[in-house]
Amino acid sequence: MIRDETALLAHGTAADPGRGDSVHFAILDIPIRLDVEEPEFASITHAFMGAYAPGEAAAMAAGDGLAFHVRRVATLPASPTEKVAVHRTRHPYWDFGGLTDAARVMHVWPTRGLSIERMGPRSWGIGVRHDVDARFAAEGIFHAIRSLALYHRPPGNMLHGSAVACGDRLVAFVGPSMAGKTTLMTRMLANTGCHPFANDRFLVLPDASLQTRSWPSYASFCEGHLQGDASLAAAARRYEAEDCAYRTRRWGMQLSDRFDKAGKRTYPMRWLREVYGRPYRNAGQLAAIVLCQVSRDIERTVFRQLDLDGADREQALSCLRASAFDDHEPSFLPWHGLPIPRNAPELGHILDRLSAAGGKVISLAVPVN
């Protein structure tokens, strides 16, 4: 069976039990084909790519893509012995490593029960150990797909931030960790008719119109944020109580008032789509960048549009530099041996194009209760 990912999820259908499946979608405009021996191996892929509006993350007909073939194996290969870091984060669940061989052809992720073998320049075979839960394996499979897509991405500036789509125009929120990027995004989702676009990263392409692509990532929330929003709190509790088809771990029914990384919960994109009843957009034109700071220490809201051709330009550039993943990768580490793409334009070009198009960069400080 060959199905378009967004159509599959939009209609709420699933592959027949006991039959393989082939799912086609695109990440950062890279066509991806995922062939799975068991349909549930694609369940977490569905929980992310199916959160986009139907057709928006469909694979393009042209262009070099990536192919992944997933099957059950009796045991994981014993040959890789060199330790390698896979992902680095403050979330213990996602901070893990694996093993590889000298040629970076065979990789083993023991804590995920997966082996990943490079079959060709853009083709990978993934083995799932016989005793590993299919949904748990699906989480690691999609992580491998995202990681490899990231290192094959087209030219552009990869920025750390959240974003919403208002029609085909995008408003992006950037700033350091715990600056309130997700808080401002969800406030816009709750109070306007905009759509979610990005939870953690987005890629600004180098064309004059500032075309931008969404990066599929987990929605990450401090427990205090969830507790203070009735819709999010109810959704968090439903996630724990109901038989959620894309849940791989439980966070607990009790929510605290903590606003720190240690008190963060992560959810697949489909969860946030269901909270607000609106799908993610995959592409749009960057129209505004909000340099945000949300804190209990702020007494009043301060909103100021920056002069990109004058004294404020360096402030805007400094914030973009701190938010850019153009020349380094802090989380998705090169376990596969691929180099970090070095094809990003100067960040000042974003400001120049934004100014020429009538876009804005805004400094926003907001108090939080």
Side-chain angles (χ1 to χ4, degrees):
M1 283 179 290
I2 298 179
R3 307 176 182 217
D4 177 78
E5 165 62 23
T6 50
L8 178 70
L9 268 294
H11 293 90
T13 59
D16 297 332
R19 298 180 63 184
D21 202 5
S22 184
V23 183
H24 294 235
F25 54 98
I27 295 177
L28 302 177
D29 289 347
I30 302 165
I32 294 173
R33 173 175 176 144
L34 173 61
D35 297 322
V36 294
E37 188 178 72
E38 299 176 25
E40 199 166 5
F41 288 158
S43 61
I44 302 301
T45 296
H46 294 333
F48 284 83
M49 304 313 299
Y52 290 105
E56 287 211 1
M60 299 177 297
D64 293 329
L66 300 176
F68 299 86
H69 310 275
V70 186
R71 63 185 180 88
R72 287 280 182 187
V73 295
T75 59
L76 299 181
S79 55
T81 58
E82 179 184 337
K83 291 184 179 180
V84 62
V86 174
H87 196 252
R88 284 291 173 262
T89 175
R90 294 183 185 179
H91 299 289
Y93 182 78
W94 278 113
D95 192 86
F96 72 100
L99 302 169
T100 188
D101 57 20
R104 294 291 178 100
V105 172
M106 178 62 76
H107 314 268
V108 174
W109 295 357
T111 60
R112 279 5 188 211
L114 300 178
S115 63
I116 306 171
E117 182 179 7
R118 176 158 49 89
M119 310 298 293
R122 304 175 78 92
S123 179
W124 299 78
I126 300 179
V128 180
R129 199 179 62 218
H130 72 95
D131 59 343
V132 173
D133 176 77
R135 190 185 302 172
F136 179 73
E139 189 175 60
I141 291 165
F142 189 61
H143 186 86
I145 292 171
R146 288 196 303 150
S147 179
L148 288 160
L150 188 65
Y151 280 77
H152 283 92
R153 67 180 182 263
N157 298 104
M158 180 65 74
L159 298 180
H160 174 50
S162 61
V164 297
C166 307
D168 63 353
R169 297 296 192 92
L170 307 177
V171 177
F173 304 96
V174 300
S177 177
M178 304 299 295
K181 300 179 290 293
T182 302
T183 298
L184 293 177
M185 179 184 76
T186 54
R187 285 187 181 181
M188 283 199 70
L189 293 174
N191 296 300
T192 72
C194 64
H195 289 249
F197 182 81
N199 299 322
D200 182 64
R201 303 181 183 206
F202 50 90
L203 181 70
V204 183
L205 302 179
D207 60 273
S209 64
L210 286 166
Q211 284 296 309
T212 302
R213 297 295 180 263
S214 171
W215 164 254
S217 60
Y218 287 84
S220 180
F221 292 90
C222 293
E223 289 195 357
H225 183 178
L226 296 171
Q227 186 188 56
D229 184 304
S231 297
L232 292 173
R237 294 189 176 99
R238 285 196 303 272
Y239 183 82
E240 302 298 321
E242 298 175 1
D243 184 18
C244 178
Y246 51 83
R247 184 183 63 218
T248 59
R249 62 172 302 186
R250 293 181 182 274
W251 297 99
M253 291 292 288
Q254 189 67 32
L255 292 170
S256 71
D257 60 357
R258 297 173 61 179
F259 280 90
D260 56 33
K261 274 192 170 291
K264 277 200 167 186
R265 301 184 179 197
T266 58
Y267 299 97
M269 288 165 53
R270 191 173 180 183
W271 179 86
L272 195 67
R273 171 178 174 160
E274 292 171 351
V275 171
Y276 295 105
R278 294 189 292 276
Y280 280 74
R281 299 299 189 192
N282 183 53
Q285 180 182 358
L286 184 61
I289 298 175
V290 180
L291 314 181
C292 61
Q293 184 180 9
V294 178
S295 171
R296 290 176 171 175
D297 298 328
I298 296 173
E299 295 183 356
R300 60 185 180 87
T301 298
V302 178
F303 178 101
R304 187 171 70 89
Q305 182 176 337
L306 301 188
D307 178 5
L308 300 183
D309 299 316
D312 296 327
R313 183 179 179 86
E314 187 54 40
Q315 178 186 347
L317 267 178
S318 177
C319 188
L320 290 185
R321 291 188 191 109
S323 301
F325 294 154
D326 293 338
D327 58 3
H328 73 292
E329 175 49 54
S331 301
F332 291 84
L333 304 182
W335 53 270
H336 34 65
L338 297 174
I340 295 174
R342 305 285 184 179
N343 51 17
E346 292 292 328
L347 287 165
H349 293 170
I350 293 180
L351 300 182
D352 295 338
R353 288 177 285 158
L354 198 61
S355 181
K360 298 177 175 63
V361 176
I362 296 163
S363 176
L364 179 62
V366 180
V368 63
N369 297 328

